[in-house]
Amino acid sequence: KYLKKVLASLKKISTPPLVPYDIAMKNYKAGKYSKAKQGLLALLDDKQFKGKKRARIIHNLGMISFIKKKYPDALTYFSNLYTKYPKVSYNANGLLYLSKTFNKLKKAAEEEHTLNELISKFPKTNSAKKAKKILKKIKKWKNYYC
């Protein structure tokens, strides 16, 4: 019992405090989008975050914007993600949600183009599978109404 108590107290002591990036991601995962957005925006202003971490920040801001129905903001974030970090894995989901954003904004041609881009650039992802299903629905709709 004593050993377990000592090990538990050591674990508490040795656990490093969360840094702002970790706090923002924790809030995002917990669905605390307002808190997460504040933290992510502060991180976006911080030039120390580059590469995949910066791409994740932009992706999550896009997701929050989409969830909160701020479609012009989502469009900006997802477009920036793909433009600035075209090969990062977050783009598979980012392009899927970019297409959904175009759908919400009633921009059918852009939606379809984005889905095709997703399938082309990230063919083996779950997002590409979802994109193919959406494209099938779009084609059915076009055949029905045209």
Side-chain angles (χ1 to χ4, degrees), residues 2 11 21 34 44 69 72 75 81 90 110 116 118 142:
Y2 177 75
K11 189 174 183 180
Y21 179 86
S34 295
L44 195 59
K69 299 181 181 180
L75 185 73
L81 175 64
Y90 295 109
E110 290 88 342
N116 284 316
L118 165 56
K142 280 183 176 181

Side-chain angles (χ1 to χ4, degrees), residues 16-31:
L18 292 177
V19 295
Y21 179 86
D22 295 331
I23 293 168
M25 295 307 158
K26 184 178 178 182
N27 284 329
Y28 175 80
K29 286 179 184 177

Side-chain angles (χ1 to χ4, degrees), residues 33-69:
Y33 297 124
S34 295
K35 281 185 175 184
K37 183 178 179 181
Q38 288 174 335
L40 292 168
L41 287 171
L43 294 171
L44 195 59
D45 289 339
D46 190 337
K47 302 297 182 202
Q48 82 175 18
F49 293 101
K50 295 178 173 54
K52 194 169 182 177
K53 277 191 174 184
R54 190 161 190 82
R56 185 176 183 196
I57 292 166
I58 295 168
H59 172 269
N60 289 0
L61 283 167
M63 291 301 297
I64 291 169
S65 298
F66 185 85
I67 291 165
K68 296 288 188 176
K69 299 181 181 180

